[in-house]
Amino acid sequence: MKHIAGGCLGLFVVGQLFYLVAANILGVWQFASAQDDGWPTAAQAVTERWADLTGQPQNWSLFAPEVDTASTFAAVELRWDDGIHPPVLLLSDNEPDHLDRFFRFGRSRLRRYESLLIVTLQVPAGKEEDDVVDGWRERIVNRVRRQWGPMFAYLRWRWIEYQQQHPHLPLPKEVRLLARTYAIGTPGGLAPPLRLVQRPLARRLPESEPSDALPIEAFNPVVNEFDPVVRSRGRP
Amino acid sequence: MTDQRVVGLEPRLPWPLNRWPWWTEPVPAERLAALRIGAASVLLLDIATSYLPNADTFFGSGSLGDADAFALIRWRWSLLSGLREPAVLRWLLIVWGLAVVSLLLGSVTRLSAVAVWLLSLSFARINPGIENAGDEVRGILLFYLMLCPCGAVWSLDHRFRRRATDEPIFVWPWALRLLFVQMALIYFTNGLYKWLGEPWRGGDSVYYVLNDLTLTRWPYHQVPVPYGLTQLLTWLVLAWETGFPLLVALRWTRRATLALGVLFHLGLWMFLELGLFAPYMLCFYLPLVPWEQLSLRR
């Protein structure tokens, strides 16, 4: 019996070795070659299932391959159309009150969650906003399609939290997700003064949730309006 | 080796692993115990400071991890899938914490390790939005701890075992070796991805990361690091991560490479708010310390 168990453990060790090398190298290879078919994809499907089953995801890339060239915080705006209640802006707990002097400790899990929701929209040097808004629109729609579940949960949670402190408030007409972006100065140059660019990304209409589209609408920066996002077959 | 007391199942390894002493010679059980105590301590801190105080924010109905926020895809599983009652989830967090205490003390160690792994993965998967790479490292450490005799020494199990003696105890090295391979691949894969990014090759990445107001502990201008130094650090990280498997394989570069790793994680922890990513990663280094010398001295 011990003989068989030792054999099984040996098989497991060898299998793990193959898995670790394959899962990591295949991930990088696929990313670098931008290929999405053939035997590496099939092999990766196997490694992903083992990762799912045993809780060993691989493909490690801390701050890589790209790093953010801007700091973007999530924010939420509550809007009513009753002419009584003005819009309310709810900043993230992760956004310091004073960006020029702060000490951050904790809240990394909330930051991680918010990073799933936001898209950093920057105009590259030498270009105008009109040149890049089509790309922005595509990125926003893709983000809503992929992350509408956590977006919905986040917008609902922010409203519930606010409502508990202001129980007299009616349900807002719109709950908007905003991206608040501060550009980082060019390396080696003088640090520019902190300049905030705030843009809407998505919204939820709590009173009228559609059945044929996602419950989150994507902001369309080309026409400055929100567009419904059609449900895709099968959840991403 | 025949007079050593070796705990646990010996794997029957194929060639060439069975001819390689690194894979076959037993190692002092203190190495595995140190990993158990380190990982359990960090996890206990994690539960006490980030999960439990935010239980209602992260888990259950109306929270960020409400059942409609994330779907379990492919073969991902969670024992808590569909569970929405905040009070029940809060109690389960406490059960998770108690299981971690039991693992830390080495009490009913194997069962505790299984419970900690199951709950760890189950909580991670009902709200993956709050999890980072440190939590993935945590899951991997617990996976191995669950499979090997990590309570053979420095544990209540050992203390109260009837045949407990002061003779040195050893364990088969397979789990520690796989964890070392895992650590090397984490760095190597990170290095490869970094080579694909222009900011890393150009030497700008560390500058941008230290300026990211969403991550840094303090604003860059309060403790400015000269740009030339950030460039050097960028290239050093790039070279160290990519070269890690080779550098630790060579005897004369091994200590410096590992020391650099410890400094790298301490630096990340000091400058950036990444939760407990750094301490979880530092757990990989614990089995590399000759803890058994402490036992011998006593």
Side-chain angles (χ1 to χ4, degrees), chain A residues 2-7 9-14 16-17 19-21 24-25 27-29 31-32 45 48-73 94 96 98-114 116 147-150 152-157 160-161 182 184-189 191-192 194 235-236, chain B residues 8-14 17 23 46 50-51 56-58 62-71 73-77 84 117 121 125 127-133 135-140 143-144 147 174 178 181-182 185-186 188-194 196-200 204-205 207-209 211-219 221-222 227 241 264 268 272-277 280:
Chain A
K2 203 172 174 184
H3 203 67
I4 296 170
L9 183 56
L11 265 178
F12 169 77
V13 171
V14 174
Q16 271 290 110
L17 265 178
Y19 161 71
L20 291 175
V21 174
N24 283 290
I25 301 305
V28 181
W29 188 85
F31 182 86
E48 281 172 352
R49 273 157 182 76
W50 181 242
D52 290 345
L53 208 59
T54 58
Q56 306 177 77
Q58 301 293 317
N59 224 1
W60 309 89
S61 57
L62 184 69
F63 304 126
E66 303 298 329
V67 288
D68 288 331
T69 56
S71 313
T72 303
F73 296 96
N94 198 44
H98 304 284
L99 287 168
D100 56 344
R101 53 186 165 87
F102 64 85
F103 182 77
R104 175 177 285 115
F105 189 79
R107 299 201 184 106
S108 71
R109 294 194 181 278
L110 181 63
R111 181 197 62 77
R112 172 78 183 132
Y113 194 97
E114 289 173 339
L116 290 180
Q147 304 294 356
W148 67 266
F152 182 86
Y154 182 75
L155 295 177
R156 180 180 54 194
W157 170 70
I160 291 172
E161 292 270 301
Y182 300 87
I184 296 173
T186 314
L194 284 170
R235 190 169 167 161
Chain B
L9 185 64
E10 180 182 7
R12 289 174 56 79
L13 297 170
L17 299 183
W23 282 96
D46 205 357
S50 77
Y51 283 103
D56 293 348
T57 302
F58 293 157
S63 76
L64 295 176
D66 201 347
D68 51 12
F70 296 98
I73 56 166
R74 291 193 313 251
W75 286 12
R76 270 173 226 175
W77 53 268
R84 301 183 70 182
W117 178 73
L121 219 55
R125 285 172 171 181
N127 188 353
I130 57 168
E131 304 286 301
N132 69 11
D135 302 303
E136 291 176 355
V137 167
R138 173 187 83 204
I140 290 167
F143 177 67
Y144 286 104
L147 297 175
W174 62 271
L178 283 172
V181 171
Q182 172 72 83
L185 280 165
I186 287 175
F188 183 61
T189 312
N190 262 305
L192 292 182
Y193 272 111
K194 287 181 171 72
L196 298 172
E198 208 289 319
W200 284 97
D204 292 335
S205 285
Y207 167 83
Y208 278 117
V209 170
N211 271 279
D212 190 334
L213 294 164
T214 67
L215 290 172
T216 51
R217 291 215 185 270
W218 50 77
H221 74 86
Q222 279 192 329
Y227 174 59
E241 285 193 333
F264 170 69
L268 274 182
L272 304 176
E273 178 49 84
L274 296 173
L276 294 174
F277 170 72
Y280 280 125

